[in-house]
Amino acid sequence: IRRPLGVVTVLAPWNFPAILAVRQFANPMAIGNTIILKPSEETPYTGGLFFAEVMEEAGIPAGVFNVITCSRENVQAVGDELIENPAVKGVAFTGSSAVGRYVSAKCGAHLKKCCIELGGNDALIVRQDADIERATHAASFGSFMHQGQICMSVERILVHQSIFDRFLERFVERTRKLKMGDTQDRSTIIGPLISRKQAEKVRGQINDAVAKGAKIIIGGGGQGNYVEPTILTNVRRDMAIWQQETFGPVVPVIPFRDDEEAIAICNDTEYGLSSGVFSADEAK
């Protein structure tokens, strides 16, 4: 027998604020739970207050759908209350792995149901029999859509050494065509990152990689909230960009010798979320 839990807290992210908020609250609300939605402090309107206006206009009874916003300084206090309050029976969270650990630990301490989707350091494996055109198209879209600010972005591209040079050449050609600038110009593909802080974090990963021997093939520049779409080679596992989620328009291209090595590189990270394989051999 399935019954509503009661009150469900939804902690939504900023990167696709409307879609990722709806995805978390629609099903719990549809089956009879009441919702408390806390949007990211970066996107309080598009991720939260907008929906409160819609629900009110649609005639949803008061108290069924609730939105709470707060400043960055109060995020932890508000978040703790929305998890620990005895009235709350379930929590849905989408965001970083660090915060996800904190949220799930809090839920565990109070024996509350918890549904989380966290960060990724996702690999795209391109085997020697892959269609170069299709693979580079996917690599470009997967790496640079929304400036890489997606948890399932391609963050590491693993290419068989026999086609590495051809792949890289075509991938660079595609990347060179990505116009960066004001997104009100419909020809713009690469817009600003969410904040100066995030842009500085991404530039820090690029600088760390270059200082340890990585080579910038294209990009690497940008100022303010902008970071150019960037491709790196000569990347090693001791670099932050190999081990951490970047959440920016930067991707290393890494050669491999055989499938076993590709799998080993793919798994050489604490993250797990998504990955992809390009091959003409479906069994492989």
Side-chain angles (χ1 to χ4, degrees):
I1 299 173
R2 297 185 180 185
R3 298 189 180 95
L5 290 171
V7 180
V8 173
T9 288
V10 174
L11 306 173
W14 53 258
N15 55 326
F16 280 88
I19 294 171
L20 295 183
V22 169
R23 190 178 69 176
Q24 288 177 287
F25 74 68
N27 289 332
M29 186 173 166
I31 62 171
N33 297 286
T34 58
I35 303 296
I36 303 175
L37 169 63
K38 192 202 81 63
S40 166
E41 63 278 10
E42 302 279 7
T43 52
Y45 183 75
T46 50
L49 295 172
F50 165 78
F51 294 110
E53 295 176 2
V54 170
M55 298 295 179
E56 186 172 40
E57 187 171 328
I60 299 297
V64 172
F65 183 85
N66 312 274
V67 176
I68 294 178
T69 63
C70 68
S71 65
R72 180 181 294 278
E73 291 70 29
N74 291 325
V75 164
Q76 183 167 343
V78 172
D80 285 351
E81 176 65 21
L82 292 177
I83 296 170
E84 295 176 338
N85 190 292
V88 173
K89 304 303 180 186
V91 178
F93 170 80
T94 298
S96 72
S97 294
V99 178
R101 286 193 185 96
Y102 180 85
V103 169
S104 57
K106 282 274 184 184
C107 289
H110 295 275
L111 301 178
K112 297 186 179 186
K113 291 183 179 294
C114 181
C115 179
I116 57 175
E117 184 192 320
L118 309 180
N121 190 355
D122 308 317
L124 176 65
I125 299 173
V126 183
R127 297 187 71 252
Q128 59 268 43
D129 58 354
D131 182 323
I132 296 290
E133 284 299 304
R134 290 189 64 198
T136 53
H137 180 273
S140 180
F141 184 84
S143 301
F144 301 132
M145 181 187 175
H146 197 36
Q147 296 74 251
Q149 297 173 124
I150 307 171
C151 53
M152 292 179 286
S153 285
V154 172
E155 301 234 351
R156 293 172 299 156
I157 300 174
L158 317 183
V159 182
H160 192 273
Q161 61 187 13
S162 65
I163 61 168
F164 185 86
D165 291 340
R166 283 196 296 137
F167 177 94
L168 186 61
E169 181 181 6
R170 186 69 181 105
F171 186 31
V172 169
E173 287 176 5
R174 289 185 180 277
T175 304
R176 192 171 283 119
K177 296 176 182 177
L178 301 178
K179 179 182 176 182
M180 184 175 75
D182 187 343
T183 50
Q184 293 189 68
D185 177 351
R186 295 185 67 84
S187 67
T188 294
I189 302 298
I190 304 295
L193 273 69
I194 184 66
S195 65
R196 185 71 58 90
K197 179 182 177 183
Q198 180 63 23
E200 291 299 330
K201 176 192 170 188
V202 174
R203 279 191 280 268
Q205 287 195 2
I206 295 173
N207 294 338
D208 169 77
V210 170
K212 294 175 180 176
K215 182 180 179 182
I216 297 175
I217 302 300
I218 188 172
Q223 56 185 348
N225 287 29
Y226 288 88
V227 176
E228 290 179 343
T230 302
I231 299 172
L232 300 172
T233 58
N234 297 348
V235 173
R236 303 191 314 267
R237 69 182 313 275
D238 63 334
M239 299 174 182
I241 204 154
W242 180 299
Q243 296 293 343
Q244 300 173 12
E245 182 178 36
T246 301
F247 232 63
V250 182
V251 65
V253 183
I254 303 164
F256 66 86
R257 290 166 294 188
D258 52 38
D259 291 351
E260 287 67 32
E261 184 180 29
I263 293 167
I265 295 171
C266 180
N267 288 332
D268 187 21
T269 175
E270 65 174 14
Y271 293 90
L273 188 58
S274 70
S275 59
V277 180
F278 268 81
S279 173
D281 187 333
E282 189 172 345
K284 285 288 185 180

